[in-house]
Amino acid sequence: DTEVTQTPKHLVMGMTNKKSLKCEQHMGHRAMYWYKQKAKKPPELMFVYSYEKLSINESVPSRFSPECPNSSLLNLHLHALQPEDSALYLCASSQAPKRADEQYFGPGTRLTVT
Amino acid sequence: EDQVTQSPEALRLQEGESSSLNCSYTVSGLRGLFWYRQDPGKGPEFLFTLYSAGEEKEKERLKATLTKKESFLHITAPKPEDSATYLCAVDTGTASKLTFGTGTRLQVTL
């Protein structure tokens, strides 16, 4: 099974709201990722977690706050977002950090900031 | 700086009309090249991993090949359900970071 699940599928939030995106995998993968994807563009890496520790932050604004409670779960906490943050947010996982393993993506959360 | 370029940007084929998509790369050290398929509004679906020049992988109507400078995704006798955006990405060993190309939007018509 190579499934990564994400909830919710769609999210509409105002600029003053606080919300969270959730991601789960049960493949025993020890690397997990958050990507942002705008229309007709490739995914852009935001964060990488290796063995539940944040290893890469691609200079993402602090209004995005990642969390990895355990090896199967990844959250992305959102606060005071801007309309330009509207995008498809993708979670991915791979077997081990620092290995050239394929990443498996979830279906994404379509975020709209009003 | 690592660069990945995909061509063409868009491709329209008739059902059964075989073709190839190109992914050329300029990287400091390739550890792996990945092909993904992405349907609109969905997450990328993993297709293939290629690690070294000369390697080939096949799955149904798709075949991926790799040289020292580029990779091809060959589509044989495509069907309308093969319509999607095809992304290639490279891993150059920088802490599991993938560098993606901009994708090829493939449309297969009856």
Side-chain angles (χ1 to χ4, degrees):
Chain A
D1 184 12
T2 56
E3 189 177 26
V4 176
T5 59
Q6 290 186 243
T7 55
K9 283 190 174 182
H10 303 276
L11 179 63
V12 179
M13 59 185 291
M15 289 190 284
T16 57
N17 292 157
K18 283 186 181 181
K19 296 285 185 184
S20 297
L21 309 184
K22 296 185 184 301
C23 172
E24 192 166 1
Q25 57 88 14
H26 294 289
M27 296 177 278
H29 289 177
R30 302 312 299 273
M32 295 186 77
Y33 312 79
W34 279 116
Y35 287 86
K36 172 182 177 179
Q37 188 176 27
K38 293 281 219 178
K40 298 192 177 181
K41 298 286 188 184
E44 292 175 40
L45 183 67
M46 300 174 71
F47 303 103
V48 181
Y49 271 83
S50 300
Y51 298 103
E52 296 104 69
K53 293 198 184 314
L54 182 65
S55 62
I56 294 177
N57 176 340
E58 290 286 275
S59 302
V60 179
S62 60
R63 57 186 185 267
F64 295 90
S65 175
E67 178 196 21
C68 189
N70 60 54
S71 60
S72 299
L73 292 174
L74 188 65
N75 298 322
L76 186 63
H77 303 297
L78 313 173
H79 173 56
L81 294 192
Q82 303 296 310
E84 59 264 28
D85 296 321
S86 298
L88 182 68
Y89 287 83
L90 296 163
C91 172
S93 70
S94 65
Q95 192 165 14
K98 300 187 180 180
R99 274 174 40 168
D101 293 323
E102 56 270 15
Q103 295 181 18
Y104 292 93
F105 286 81
T109 293
R110 172 68 61 189
L111 174 67
T112 303
V113 182
T114 61
Chain B
E1 186 180 325
D2 298 335
Q3 284 197 323
V4 180
T5 304
Q6 290 188 246
S7 62
E9 189 175 312
L11 181 62
R12 187 182 173 110
L13 298 173
Q14 287 201 314
E15 185 175 14
E17 181 186 0
S18 301
S19 189
S20 297
L21 313 184
N22 177 265
C23 172
S24 62
Y25 58 90
T26 307
V27 299
S28 51
L30 182 72
R31 295 205 311 162
L33 185 142
F34 306 89
W35 282 98
Y36 288 88
R37 169 200 169 119
Q38 186 172 26
D39 293 304
K42 298 192 176 180
E45 175 190 347
F46 169 71
L47 294 174
F48 303 110
T49 306
L50 301 166
Y51 290 110
S52 56
E55 193 173 357
E56 299 182 353
K57 295 268 178 78
E58 270 188 86
K59 179 181 176 181
E60 296 180 356
R61 296 178 292 281
L62 300 177
K63 180 179 176 180
T65 62
L66 182 65
T67 73
K68 288 187 178 179
K69 292 183 180 180
E70 57 193 349
S71 177
F72 291 94
L73 185 66
H74 307 277
I75 303 178
T76 301
K79 298 182 177 183
E81 53 263 39
D82 294 322
S83 299
T85 294
Y86 290 85
L87 294 163
C88 82
V90 298
D91 181 326
T92 58
T94 311
S96 305
K97 288 179 62 170
L98 293 183
T99 301
F100 279 89
T102 51
T104 293
R105 290 193 308 281
L106 174 66
Q107 184 180 13
V108 182
T109 59
L110 291 170

